[in-house]
Amino acid sequence: MSGKPTIGTETAPEGDALRRFVLRDASVRGEIVQLGAAWREIVRRHALPPSVRDHLGELSAAGLLLAATIKFEGALVLQIHGDGPVSLFVVEVDTDGHFRSTVKVREGAEPPADATLRALVDVHGRGRFVVTLDPRDRTGAPYQGIVPFEGEGVAGALERYMDRSEQVPTRLWLAADGERAAGLLLQRLPDEGGSAGPRDADGWDRAQQLADTITPQELLELAPEALLHRLFWQERRDDLDERRWRFLCSCSRDKVAGMLRTLGRDEIESILAERGAIEVSCDYCNAPYRFDALDAALLFADDGTVLPGSPSIN
């Protein structure tokens, strides 16, 4: 297209927000998310190789994008189970407006700084991509979809999941580094009978071609309005709502106590005899929880009382 206006040098704000929009004539809906402080809080709590960190950031952005496409109240959990240097990526998004992310690197593994996601989780072809919807009201059973890992990165894996499980044409563009995580999602809207005017037959292809011109640097650094203007300035765009997101971990001393009870009294006593105390750290936020012999005894008291106390978080 000729005559495209320049967009200046407007940089992304601290963000931690997701915006939804519709390209009216193209019958395409979209979302753009940018994470700043919330993503840096996760990075601060995990010492990760750059490749692992960046793929976790992309999956975090993808989780927020996917959560905004569905009418649902509860938790959306994205998991990539791996058979390579990384055994698990996890992002948990609560539709109340918070999320948390973690990753498990196999002991002794040293992932290359530029490793692809496939090289991290699908070395022997046994990687799996899992999407779980856990409703808050508990009136129905959680939904879980599991598909083989496909694609080289997070975007490709999620696009193939949506194609195979939801039959919704979906494209994603994702980027992350040590400071920000960001993503753009486009979905083709279903045909609607009785709509005013014919559908733009080339709209979906055109929207994808325009979004394919994004660079990771632009996705991370340009403010959402500047980026959307750069891509879709000739499209009729309707802006919808904006949603704010923050990092929040739901771990607690009581939840850790409940997990320890499942081990049984004999196992707990064995650990105490060997170590003198039980120390557990949250996989998501690294908050430490310590149970000494008295705390452990109270785990199995008739009333289930746990000594009051909270973890010290640096």
Side-chain angles (χ1 to χ4, degrees):
M1 299 177 182
S2 62
K4 182 175 72 172
T6 59
I7 57 173
T9 59
E10 183 181 0
T11 58
E14 281 308 291
D16 296 331
L18 180 146
R19 290 177 57 179
R20 299 193 306 146
F21 61 92
V22 172
L23 304 179
R24 190 187 313 170
D25 296 331
S27 294
V28 171
R29 65 181 175 187
E31 300 163 2
I32 184 169
V33 64
Q34 291 182 330
L35 300 173
W39 172 239
R40 288 192 293 274
E41 184 64 21
I42 294 173
V43 171
R44 184 181 72 83
R45 295 171 182 269
H46 300 277
L48 297 172
S51 59
V52 177
R53 177 200 67 202
D54 293 353
H55 290 309
L56 181 63
E58 291 180 0
L59 188 65
S60 299
L64 301 182
L65 291 168
L66 183 59
T69 67
I70 54 180
K71 295 181 179 180
F72 170 76
E73 295 294 330
L76 165 72
V77 183
L78 300 185
Q79 297 176 315
I80 299 178
H81 295 262
D83 62 4
V86 175
S87 62
L88 182 66
F89 285 94
V90 184
V91 174
E92 181 180 310
V93 181
D94 191 292
T95 53
D96 277 347
H98 55 84
F99 74 102
R100 58 182 187 169
S101 309
T102 191
V103 61
K104 291 188 177 181
V105 179
R106 297 188 191 278
E107 186 174 356
E110 297 183 2
D114 59 350
T116 66
L117 184 61
R118 178 176 292 280
L120 294 174
V121 301
D122 199 44
V123 176
H124 305 292
R126 295 195 294 272
R128 293 291 181 270
F129 188 82
V130 183
V131 177
T132 303
L133 295 177
D134 190 6
R136 183 174 294 117
D137 59 14
R138 303 296 181 184
T139 56
Y143 162 84
Q144 188 171 80
I146 304 175
V147 297
F149 178 85
E150 295 179 306
E152 291 297 326
V154 174
L158 191 51
E159 287 170 0
R160 285 163 178 77
Y161 169 82
M162 295 297 291
D163 181 59
R164 295 177 62 160
S165 300
E166 307 297 329
Q167 289 82 51
V168 179
T170 302
R171 289 289 311 279
L172 290 105
W173 295 261
L174 304 167
D177 58 19
E179 296 293 322
R180 299 182 186 275
L184 172 70
L185 176 146
L186 296 180
Q187 283 188 335
R188 183 176 182 178
L189 291 170
D191 293 318
E192 296 181 4
S195 60
R199 180 178 192 149
D200 183 345
D202 298 324
W204 174 238
D205 289 338
R206 184 175 66 252
Q208 294 179 79
Q209 291 169 4
L210 291 169
D212 278 335
T213 66
I214 299 172
T215 67
Q217 183 178 7
E218 287 176 324
L219 197 54
L220 292 171
E221 296 182 359
L222 286 180
E225 179 56 35
L227 183 59
L228 292 177
H229 181 72
R230 167 200 167 328
L231 294 175
F232 306 121
W233 66 279
Q234 286 191 328
E235 301 289 332
R236 287 202 299 169
R237 191 183 88 223
D238 294 331
D239 292 330
L240 305 178
D241 61 325
E242 178 177 283
R243 304 180 185 185
R244 308 293 299 182
W245 292 96
R246 62 191 176 104
F247 166 77
L248 178 67
C249 187
S250 59
C251 71
S252 69
R253 187 173 177 84
D254 284 344
K255 289 182 179 180
V256 174
M259 179 273 292
L260 294 176
R261 288 191 193 97
T262 65
L263 299 178
R265 186 187 298 271
D266 291 344
E267 180 67 19
I268 293 298
E269 290 179 351
S270 175
I271 297 173
L272 288 171
E274 178 182 350
R275 304 178 185 177
I278 300 172
E279 297 181 348
V280 179
S281 294
C282 175
D283 288 335
Y284 289 92
C285 68
N286 283 329
Y289 296 91
R290 187 177 188 277
F291 292 76
D292 60 19
L294 179 57
D295 297 330
L298 289 172
L299 290 175
F300 300 98
D302 290 340
D303 61 358
T305 301
V306 179
L307 284 180
S310 59
S312 57
I313 304 178
N314 296 326

